[in-house]
Structure formats: structure tokens, C-alpha cells
Amino acid sequence: MRRVLSSWAVAAFLAASMTVLACGDEDEPPTETSGGSAGKGGAGGKGGSGGTFGSSGGIAATGGNGGATEQGGAGGEAEPTGDAGAGPGGAGGTPDDAGPGGAAGTGGGAAGAPDAAECDLSGEGLEREALPADIEEDLTLTNDRVWVIEGTVHVHDGATLTIPPCTRLEGLSDPTPGFVVALRGGRIVADGTAEEPILFTSSQPVGERRAGDWGGVVLLGRAPITRPGGDTEAIYEGLTDEIYTYGGDDPDDDSGTLRYVRIEFGGWDIFPDKEVNGLSMAGVGRRTVIDHVMVSNTLDDCFEWWGGTVEASHLIANNCGDDYFDGDEGWRGGARYLFGRRDVASVDSDDPNGFELDGINDGTEPRTAFSFQNVTLCGTGEPSPRANPHYGMLLRELVTGTLENVALLGFEYGIETRDAIAQGDVTIESSSFWALSEGIGETDAGGDDDGGFDDASIFTETPSNEVPDPVPFTVAECLEDEGPTAAVLESGLGAFPDADAVARWALDAPWVDWSED
């Protein structure tokens, strides 16, 4: 325990009690004039600082002695930190013939706040509790237990599921993979921090976790979508109940907040090409917040948008079974600061791509119109073991959009276009492509699938694009077990344009985990 002792205050002005005699006739008694004002007692010593958390504060010093008529000095003041001081305030000043004692001093330091405990998302030693299958009114979880996702958990219209920072949720695989879905009008508010993220993960122990151990997170909103024939609503793929309908006419719809969230070891193929991805967003509106979300080791796409207007920022796609980022059905949103990578063992699709961006082939308006900025996509650096090559981006079905500051490497081809596409529908600017084993654009050697369009021209005909020599970093540096190396982060390209941008990612904080099992 720390103690602080203050000195006694100096006594007040000594002349305060003196009297002055006037001169007069010797027969008259002398006239007494008023004495001077009594001085104020010296200030009391400062109270002792509160000790560190868990200990008592210092002992407060005593107030100074009172002068004539004035009070003694105030006792010590409280220090702003530490536990409440054990010592009392200083005593009041000692009175003299004319003045009362000074006021007692104040006590020791105020109680200090404890150091914040480090967020532990292991779930060890915590009670486990199942989430209800139907959340029909607002529900706020606590982070003192592990929340279990059994089957489908529905957040219904008008209800909000609030998940506090440093909360662990585990999805089960039996009898069907568990997943959480915010239905139209329902909201999930999972607002974590870099140091206290929110984790959706497998129920299997570390070392035995695999992609597909559970489902994922699905947001269904009322924002506009584009479907063949002009339909403005649809039921989520692979499901039949109308409660899974998405789409509508509200571009400002709000499905909640996902911030500093990690979703890992999920993905469920309900039927072939009908799946729950890591994070699925269908008809999600622009008031929804998607920021600092990592999807890792998932069976299908890491992120997919079906229509809607939602924007996103700081997304990490790690070891996706299919596409890193997939947008279709008239999605008119975008994202900035994206990082994607995978090793060849994670591929679980015959058509795996970095971006897969689709419109509607029958020409229904409005067309998909995406916008991506500050992107780094790293392929496997190896030939695809599946039916089709690895493409950095697949553009098809009358899609439109813009890409700016993209660093793309490690795929077989950078760009593959299919179906009807015209020059200017998609633009790429200020971007760098390299380490593409077969070329920048697919050459349609196996047959024309895009009306003879020159796939590479989207990149090569824009002067601000380049194939850098020497290369800024390698595929291996992108795929390091502990995450991208300094060469990637300091490249000034793609997702990491400068030091400030790297700092905002907070890649060394607990919201990021590159573990494969």
C-alpha cells in the first residue's frame, strides 16, 4: 500500500491578533482599534493516492491550523485513481483565541477501475445453453456462457437478438447443421471490438474442427432484388417455407450490425448449388452494418449477396470452399478493404473463384451494379484439382460494376467473362495483377462462352493498371500460416494501401484467427 504524507500548512498572518493603541491625553484611557483580519489556515495536505486495484488508498494529511477568525485549511483532496483511501481527511486547523478550527480534509483517493480482463473465447469452463429456436421478442445474450445453435434459430420480424462482445456461439451438425437466420424485419446486433470479438464456431474441439461442422449466419431483408421475369421477392435457396422470403422495396432496410465478428468452420450444402454460406445476405438494406467480419474455413462461399443495397468494409475470406465474394440478383452495393486467400486443400467446388459476380441473363433491370475498392485476393498458386481453373474473378449474366485498387495473384486466370458483356460494363482501375499461371484473361480455348469478348481487355485497356516487375510480394507470403507477411502489409497495394489502413485492420487482435482446424 502506498502512503503519501503532506507537511503542515504554514500558520496565517501573524499580525492578525495585534491591536494598535492611539496616542491621547494621559488622563484618557487609550482607544482600542480593530485587529487585522485573521489569516486563513494553510491548505491541508493532499490526500494519499488510492492504491492499485484491490488495495486501500493512502492516508490523508491533516488540515493546517486555523488563524484568528478564519478557518483552517481544507484537508487533502481525493486522488482520481486507485481504491478508496483508507485514511480520513485532514483534521481542521487548531483554533486560537479568535478563529475556529479549519474544516476537516476530504478523504483519500476514489476507487480505481480494475484492469479489463482479457477476452477468452475458448469456452473452457463455461456453462452451455441452447438458443431458442424462435426468438419473437428482443433477447440479449450474456458472455458468461457458450450459446449453442441447435438446428435453425429464427429471429422473427420485430425482434432483435443482441450479442455482447466476447461471446462464443457454437453450431451443432446433428440432426441438421445449425444456423442463425434473421428473417425479414428481424435483426442481429453482434457489435464486438477488435479485442473482444464475437465468435460463431464449431462445437468440435480444436484440432478436429472442419468446414461444414455447422451452417452459418443468414440475414434476410426487405431491400430490392432482381429476379428473372421481374419478381421482387424470393424464398432463400434450398428452403421452401415462406418465412424465408427476402426482397422488397426498402433500400434502407436494417438487418442489424455485425462488427468484429468471426464465423468459422461453417457452410451447409442443403442441395447441390443451394447452400448456407459463411455469411449469407439476401435483400439486405443499406442501414445494416457489416464491418470487420472474418469468414474462415467454410464449405461454400465465404460471403454472398443476393440483391439488396448493403455496403461492407474490412472483410476477410480465408479458406473458402467455393467463392471468396459472390454477388448476384441485382445487388447494388459494394465493399472496401477486402482480403481473401485460400490453400488448395480447402477447395470444395468445381468452379472456385475470388469474385463471382452475376446479373440476370434475361436482361431484367435493375442489373447488378457492384463497387469494390482496396482489395487483395490471393489464389492457391497451384493448378485447380477440380473441373474448372481458379479465376480471380468470374463476371457473367449482364453484370455491371467497378473495381479499384485490386491486387490479384496466384490464380490461373485473372478474369473470366461469360454470357453477354460489353466493354465498359465492368471497369478495373489502378490495379495490379501478377503470378497468374495461364494469363490475365481466359482465352475461351475450350469454346466461346461470351460472344468473343476479350476477357483481358477489362484490365489491359486501362492505363492505370499494371503487371508489376519485380513483384511486390509472393503467393507464399500471402498464405503464411500466421497470416500475410510484412511484405504484403507494407506493399501499398490492394487492401493495405498505407500504414494507417494496415492499423485500421487490427490483424494482430483476437478478432482474426488463421487456424485451419
Side-chain angles (χ1 to χ4, degrees), residues 228-243:
D231 289 344
T232 59
E233 296 183 345
I235 296 175
Y236 187 84
E237 61 181 27
L239 303 177
T240 57
D241 195 311
E242 290 187 356
I243 67 169

Side-chain angles (χ1 to χ4, degrees), residues 365-453:
E365 299 281 349
R367 296 159 69 180
T368 298
F370 63 84
S371 173
F372 292 112
Q373 295 175 310
N374 302 328
V375 180
T376 298
L377 299 184
C378 305
T380 65
E382 301 180 34
S384 171
R386 309 298 288 259
N388 292 309
H390 288 157
Y391 298 117
M393 59 186 72
L394 171 60
L395 310 171
R396 62 187 180 185
E397 297 180 349
L398 296 172
V399 70
T400 69
T402 63
L403 300 105
E404 183 178 355
N405 186 25
V406 177
L408 188 146
L409 67 155
F411 297 89
E412 286 164 90
Y413 293 97
I415 303 168
E416 157 72 335
T417 64
R418 296 179 191 164
D419 311 310
I421 187 169
Q423 199 71 42
D425 282 353
V426 176
T427 62
I428 302 174
E429 297 181 353
S430 303
S431 297
S432 300
F433 287 15
W434 71 96
L436 303 171
S437 60
E438 299 297 327
I440 291 174
E442 167 70 86
T443 59
D444 296 339
D448 181 18
D449 58 3
D450 54 16
F453 185 80

Side-chain angles (χ1 to χ4, degrees), residues 9-38:
V10 178
F13 299 103
L14 297 177
S17 62
M18 294 181 63
T19 58
V20 179
L21 299 179
C23 295
D25 294 338
E26 58 181 31
D27 292 333
E28 297 180 6
T31 302
E32 182 174 295
T33 63
S34 298
S37 297

Side-chain angles (χ1 to χ4, degrees), residues 237-239 268-275:
E237 61 181 27
L239 303 177
W268 175 28
D269 287 334
I270 306 171
F271 300 112
D273 298 322
K274 309 293 182 184
E275 62 274 329

